[in-house]
Amino acid sequence: MATNKIKKGDTVRVITGKDKGREGKVTAVKDGKVVIEGINQVTKHTKPSQANPQGGIVQQAAPIDVSNVMYVSKGKASRVGFEIKDGKKVRVAKATGEVID
């Protein structure tokens, strides 16, 4: 499988869907999907449990496919590429040329 271009902690912009144009921080990445704080909120009905004795209706962020988000570099949505710098493979924002990590 190819290296993932979006990682936990990145700021991304949603480029399609009901939350198009919104930005947020990635909280989880798994199986080609990302969870972004405050975006793609869904209502979930939870049963009472030890941790939540009341149960009830909870709002939580649902995963979005990684193809529907773009990395944000200096306020601009940007594609991400890879380059070798000083013998290390690093992520680079295509729009600004900035080294991400």
Side-chain angles (χ1 to χ4, degrees):
M1 184 160 165
T3 309
N4 216 346
K5 295 183 178 187
I6 303 290
K7 294 185 179 179
K8 183 177 176 177
D10 287 349
T11 302
V12 295
R13 181 177 296 151
V14 179
I15 58 172
T16 185
K18 66 176 186 176
D19 291 314
K20 180 178 180 177
R22 293 184 62 197
E23 289 183 17
K25 196 172 202 171
V26 175
T27 57
V29 179
K30 187 174 182 185
D31 297 330
K33 295 196 181 278
V34 292
V35 177
I36 307 166
E37 62 186 31
I39 295 182
N40 198 27
Q41 295 284 73
V42 294
T43 304
K44 186 168 170 68
H45 294 70
T46 57
K47 290 172 82 170
S49 65
Q50 199 89 32
N52 184 10
Q54 185 65 38
I57 301 170
V58 180
Q59 288 284 103
Q60 71 181 47
I64 301 176
D65 197 88
V66 76
S67 66
N68 295 334
V69 299
M70 283 184 91
Y71 180 80
V72 175
S73 169
K74 297 179 183 169
K76 277 177 97 171
S78 172
R79 291 179 298 147
V80 177
F82 292 98
E83 287 181 9
I84 306 292
K85 300 261 183 176
D86 302 325
K88 256 187 136 180
K89 185 177 179 182
V90 293
R91 293 186 301 157
V92 176
K94 296 276 190 169
T96 60
E98 174 190 23
V99 174
I100 299 167
D101 53 7

